[in-house]
C-alpha cells in the first residue's frame, strides 16, 4: 500500500543516537565539589598538577582547564582558576589538604603575633584596607594575604566560602567586602587558630 504523500512517517532515533544534554553543576554545590577536587590533588600527592595551578594565568595547561570546568557558568571560570592558584600557593610543601575555616576577613584577622593580630597589627590592617575598597576582585592583595597566612601557619579561609564570596564581589551593596570587614573588625575575641604543621584540617 502506498502512503499518502503528506503522511510520511518520521521514526524516532534509537536511544543511543539521541543527544544527551551536558551535565550541569548546581551553583551552590560547585564550590564544594571543586575544593574536594583540589584537596584530592594534595591528598594523592599530585604535585605536578598543583605546580600547574601555581603557574601564572598565561601558562595554560590541562590542569587549568580541569579547574575551570568546575565553574557552574562561563563567567566564573577565571575565578575558579584563580582560587585554585591561591589554594596551590597555600599548599606548597604540604602533604595533607587544609580546607580552611570562615571567611577571608577572619583569616586576615589572625595575621600577626600574640598581642598584635588583626586590627592591632598595622600590616594586617593595611592589607585589609587594600582589599575592602577594591571595585574588582583584588587578586594580588588576596595572594599577599594567603602568603602571610601561610607564613604565619594560621588557618586559611574556607576555600569553598571564598569562591562564593568572590562570585558576589561586585553585587549591589557589596556584600562580600562588608562581610569581610565586619569579620576583621569584630569586637569579639578571635582566637589565633594555628594550622597543623602537616597540613591536616582542623
Amino acid at each position: 500500500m502506498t502512503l499518502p504523500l503528506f503522511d510520511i512517517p518520521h521514526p524516532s532515533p534509537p536511544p543511543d543516537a539521541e543527544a544527551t544534554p551536558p551535565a550541569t553543576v548546581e551553583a551552590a554545590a560547585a564550590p564544594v565539589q571543586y575544593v574536594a577536587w583540589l584537596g584530592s590533588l594534595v591528598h594523592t600527592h599530585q604535585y605536578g598538577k598543583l605546580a600547574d595551578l601555581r603557574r601564572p594565568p598565561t601558562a595554560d595547561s590541562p590542569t587549568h582547564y580541569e579547574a575551570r570546568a568546575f565553574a557552574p557558568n562561563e563567567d566564573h571560570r577565571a575565578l575558579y582558576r584563580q582560587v585554585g592558584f591561591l589554594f596551590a600557593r597555600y599548599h606548597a610543601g604540604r602533604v595533607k589538604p587544609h580546607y580552611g575555616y570562615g571567611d577571608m576577613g577572619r583569616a586576615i584577622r589572625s595575621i600577626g603575633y600574640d598581642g598584635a593580630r588583626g586590627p592591632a597589627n598595622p600590616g594586617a590592617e593595611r592589607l585589609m584596607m587594600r582589599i575592602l575598597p577594591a571595585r574588582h576582585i583584588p587578586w594580588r592583595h588576596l595572594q599577599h594575604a594567603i602568603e602571610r597566612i601561610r607564613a604565619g601557619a594560621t588557618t586559611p579561609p574556607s576555600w569553598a566560602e571564598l569562591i562564593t564570596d568572590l562570585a558576589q564581589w561586585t553585587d549591589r551593596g557589596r556584600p562580600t567586602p562588608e562581610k569581610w570587614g565586619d569579620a576583621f573588625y569584630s569586637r569579639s575575641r578571635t582566637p589565633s587558630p594555628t594550622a597543623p604543621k602537616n597540613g591536616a584540617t582542623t
Side-chain angles (χ1 to χ4, degrees), residues 91-156:
H91 284 87
R94 288 182 173 270
V95 296
K96 291 185 179 179
H98 196 311
Y99 296 99
Y101 178 78
D103 62 37
M104 181 63 87
R106 184 186 190 280
I108 296 176
R109 184 179 171 85
S110 71
I111 291 175
Y113 51 89
D114 288 343
R117 295 185 184 275
N121 184 283
E125 186 169 48
R126 278 195 302 271
L127 177 58
M128 196 77 246
M129 292 313 299
R130 289 182 181 128
I131 291 172
L132 296 182
R135 292 297 170 183
H136 300 287
I137 297 175
W139 290 113
R140 183 168 61 88
H141 298 312
L142 293 177
Q143 180 183 348
H144 185 198
I146 292 299
E147 300 290 358
R148 291 284 306 273
I149 292 164
R150 179 175 179 267
T154 54
T155 299

Side-chain angles (χ1 to χ4, degrees), residues 16-95:
D16 59 350
E18 291 181 355
T20 302
T24 58
V25 180
E26 290 291 339
V32 175
Q33 293 174 2
Y34 180 50
V35 172
W37 176 74
L38 291 172
S40 75
L41 299 183
V42 180
H43 188 72
T44 57
H45 313 309
Q46 297 190 52
Y47 300 125
K49 288 192 173 187
L50 289 165
D52 285 343
L53 291 174
R54 287 194 294 271
R55 294 191 176 100
T58 54
D60 284 328
S61 73
T63 309
H64 287 131
Y65 288 103
E66 284 185 78
R68 286 164 53 90
F70 280 90
N73 56 61
E74 180 70 30
D75 292 341
H76 291 163
R77 287 184 178 177
L79 186 156
Y80 273 62
R81 175 172 172 168
Q82 285 294 102
V83 171
F85 169 80
L86 297 178
F87 180 95
R89 289 293 305 170
Y90 178 84
H91 284 87
R94 288 182 173 270
V95 296

Side-chain angles (χ1 to χ4, degrees), residues 105-106 109 118-119 179-190:
R106 184 186 190 280
R109 184 179 171 85
K179 183 175 87 164
W180 290 7
D182 288 344
F184 182 78
Y185 284 101
S186 171
R187 295 182 63 84
S188 61
R189 183 179 181 278
T190 301

